[in-house]
Amino acid sequence: MKYTNIIIVLFLVLASSCVSKQKMVYFGDKEGFIMKKTLREYESTIQKDDLLNINVSATNGEAVMPFNIYETPILGTGMGTVKPLPYLVNAEGEINFPVLGKLKVTGITTDALSVLLVQKLSEYITKPIVNITTTNFKITVLGEVNRPGTYSIVNKRITMLEALGLAGDLTINGNRVNITLIREKDGRRVFIPIDITNKELFNSRFYYLAQNDVIYVEPNKSKINSSAVGPNTSIIFTSIATLISIIAILR
């Protein structure tokens, strides 16, 4: 009887460490869900320290030359091509554009800046075309993911789920209910809790990430407990339970 009681106690200890389905499954129930239109049309805005590639083109190639900047070739190297230079958004949120001078660009999208430049350049060029990309858009994913690291983003936007996908998804030990999004905004660093088991995430204003966002996936309770008592605890429990079962059968 004594051995039976011990087995029951061990079973309860092991069962208490199990994680509920609600804390493991993403997005909860499978009922229909409508995403807000404002989020579907989301596009990240230009921030300080962004590097912008701005290319101006038109039918008249000579007319656009003063509005495109390139690195100065080194004499005697035989270099036939030169690279375009990016525009750094300074601490005041401005870029220094050829001929047009300083332009305030923070807080608007690259598409909006393209429209603004087309309007201003139309005074000098017939039907100008402006293409803008951000060259240093990156996010960082840390903690309980399979491939933690910093990732460069080539698209105009990236979602929280896409970022976790880049990092190889959460490990079995990742806390899916309390992921931390760290974002710098207006000179402040804010910490936002994210729950990916709740499909309201799709309507969250933090569903899309911004430049330099950091995602931290903390370990779940099971991982923390196992770290506290040692990595071999589950093996020990299993061995003890097996041994007690054998003894009980023999007796």
Side-chain angles (χ1 to χ4, degrees):
M1 185 69 179
K2 179 175 67 174
Y3 296 112
T4 303
N5 292 337
I6 293 174
I7 293 173
I8 293 173
V9 170
L10 286 172
F11 175 78
L12 292 174
V13 170
L14 293 172
S16 65
S17 65
C18 295
V19 180
S20 67
K21 176 182 177 182
Q22 287 77 12
K23 293 183 179 180
M24 291 297 295
V25 176
Y26 295 178
F27 320 132
D29 62 75
K30 300 297 187 295
E31 293 181 6
F33 184 79
I34 300 175
M35 188 174 181
K36 292 179 181 177
K37 182 179 179 181
T38 53
L39 282 179
R40 292 200 303 269
E41 297 175 348
Y42 172 87
E43 185 180 343
S44 60
T45 56
I46 299 171
Q47 307 295 327
K48 296 174 183 178
D49 297 323
D50 279 359
L51 287 173
L52 304 177
N53 263 349
I54 303 177
N55 177 262
V56 181
S57 60
T59 304
N60 186 344
E62 293 185 0
V64 301
M65 290 181 62
F67 302 98
N68 290 305
I69 57 173
Y70 297 89
E71 64 181 7
T72 303
I74 302 175
L75 297 177
T77 60
M79 295 175 60
T81 60
V82 291
K83 296 180 180 179
L85 290 175
Y87 295 82
L88 174 65
V89 183
N90 64 22
E92 287 71 40
E94 300 172 332
I95 60 171
N96 193 7
F97 198 82
V99 181
L100 301 181
K102 292 184 178 180
L103 299 173
K104 184 78 171 181
V105 297
T106 50
I108 64 174
T109 66
T110 54
D111 285 346
L113 177 57
S114 178
V115 171
L116 175 65
L117 288 174
V118 167
Q119 292 174 349
K120 292 181 175 294
L121 292 173
S122 294
E123 300 179 14
Y124 307 91
I125 307 169
T126 302
K127 295 182 179 180
I129 299 173
V130 178
N131 292 305
I132 304 175
T133 57
T134 304
T135 64
N136 65 335
F137 189 175
K138 63 183 184 298
I139 53 97
T140 300
V141 188
L142 302 173
E144 287 293 335
V145 292
N146 288 297
R147 293 192 299 272
T150 298
Y151 296 89
S152 297
I153 309 303
V154 296
N155 298 326
K156 291 184 178 181
R157 62 182 186 179
I158 182 173
T159 69
M160 168 70 67
L161 301 180
E162 288 170 333
L164 293 175
L166 284 175
D169 202 3
L170 279 66
T171 68
I172 193 66
N173 296 311
N175 187 339
R176 288 147 173 80
V177 177
N178 191 23
I179 296 172
T180 302
L181 171 63
I182 306 170
R183 176 171 294 179
E184 293 185 10
K185 187 174 183 180
D186 300 326
R188 297 186 304 114
R189 188 170 287 110
V190 294
F191 297 80
I192 304 107
I194 302 293
D195 179 3
I196 60 173
T197 67
N198 188 340
K199 60 187 178 183
E200 280 299 322
L201 168 66
F202 292 100
N203 276 333
S204 168
R205 59 196 178 98
F206 302 112
Y207 177 63
Y208 288 100
L209 302 181
Q211 158 77 310
N212 291 325
D213 274 357
V214 176
I215 301 169
Y216 171 65
V217 180
E218 66 179 35
N220 58 24
K221 188 178 295 185
S222 298
K223 178 63 177 292
I224 295 173
N225 291 341
S226 67
S227 299
V229 298
N232 297 321
T233 303
S234 61
I235 298 175
I236 294 172
F237 271 131
T238 302
S239 300
I240 292 174
T242 303
L243 180 60
I244 291 173
S245 299
I246 294 173
I247 293 174
I249 291 171
L250 293 175
R251 290 176 62 87

